[in-house]
């Protein structure tokens, strides 16, 4: 039971990271119809800046804030210079562009900081014993921080005027423009929020994984699995899908085989999508043909 509890907490911590990253992807997609493949690589640049600041004696918390700021600034620059000029409805073109930006960001990180693994500082160390299991405090902190961030995002969209405006733009940018809402301004806010969540997820993930230019590729693909499992247009689905992927991934690695953990997780995702193509919480759409 103590081993199962440890595996479960570790899975929830991983799932919280995937859920945060997936939530950022969904927010950006709903606001601008862009699947932002560059999100993880831009967050990696922020992580390298945080490590450099930490090496020069800057507090870890300030380094994390700098990582979030760098990620948001870089992402908004990418949107304004290479995504927005494509125009509306260019889903495939935007997807290819963000993949190219991702490769450029990874190459830039490798050129400046090198390809050798670096350690990323954690905010807390040690373990807490519960029911005979030694639970890492960093994992518990990851779950707690992610839960607070997700709750705040939920409150933003459900209870605030800004959140209502962002939901209106996500439903129909043209209609929102007719009633006086600035679609471009709200799109920038959505990108900033999504990128900030991705950077926070990266800062929670890096202390366990270490830092290389491609450190966030694996969690990005698991976040994609989570949002497809939960539903591409559902923020709640992105969170629950990410948590499900994280728990299943850890359970498979510990009780099935570490070599087949990805096979198990993605097979489960495919089976769910075969039964419910729109995901667990997505909305089925119909088109006249």
């Amino acid at each position: 039971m103590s081993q199962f509890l440890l595996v479960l907490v570790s899975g929830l911590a991983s799932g919280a990271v995937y859920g945060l990253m997936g939530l950022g992807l969904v927010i950006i997609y709903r606001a601008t119809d862009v699947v932002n493949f560059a999100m993880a690589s831009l967050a990696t640049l922020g992580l390298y800046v945080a490590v450099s600041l930490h090496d020069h004696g800057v507090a870890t918390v300030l380094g994390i804030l700098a990582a979030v700021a760098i990620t948001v600034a870089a992402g908004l620059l990418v949107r304004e210079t290479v995504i927005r000029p494509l125009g509306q409805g260019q889903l495939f073109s935007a997807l290819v562009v963000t993949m190219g930006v991702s490769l450029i960001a990874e190459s830039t990180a490798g050129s400046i900081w090198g390809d050798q693994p670096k350690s990323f500082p954690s905010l807390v160390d040690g373990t807490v014993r519960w029911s005979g299991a030694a639970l890492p405090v960093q994992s518990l902190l990851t779950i707690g921080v992610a839960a607070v961030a997700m709750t705040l995002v939920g409150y933003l969209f459900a209870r605030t005027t800004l959140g209502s405006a962002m939901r209106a733009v996500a439903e129909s940018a043209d209609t929102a423009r007719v009633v006086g809402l600035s679609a471009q301004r709200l799109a920038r806010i959505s990108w900033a929020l999504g990128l900030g969540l991705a950077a926070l997820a990266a800062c929670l993930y890096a202390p366990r994984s270490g830092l290389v230019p491609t450190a966030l590729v694996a969690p990005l693909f698991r976040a994609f699995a989570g949002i497809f499992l939960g539903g591409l247009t559902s923020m709640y689905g992105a969170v629950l899908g990410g948590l499900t992927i994280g728990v299943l991934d850890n359970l498979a690695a510990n009780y099935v085989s570490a070599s087949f953990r990805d096979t198990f997780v993605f097979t489960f995702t495919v089976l769910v999508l075969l039964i419910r193509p729109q995901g667990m919480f997505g909305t089925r759409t119909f088109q006249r043909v």
Side-chain angles (χ1 to χ4, degrees), residues 87-98:
Q88 292 291 328
Q90 301 297 320
L91 178 61
F92 181 74
S93 297
L95 176 64
V96 173
V97 168
T98 59

Side-chain angles (χ1 to χ4, degrees), residues 233-245:
T233 59
S234 171
M235 290 188 287
Y236 295 108
V239 172
L240 294 176
L243 290 173
T244 301
I245 294 295

Side-chain angles (χ1 to χ4, degrees), residues 7 37 40 64 209:
V7 171
F37 258 99
I64 290 175
S209 68

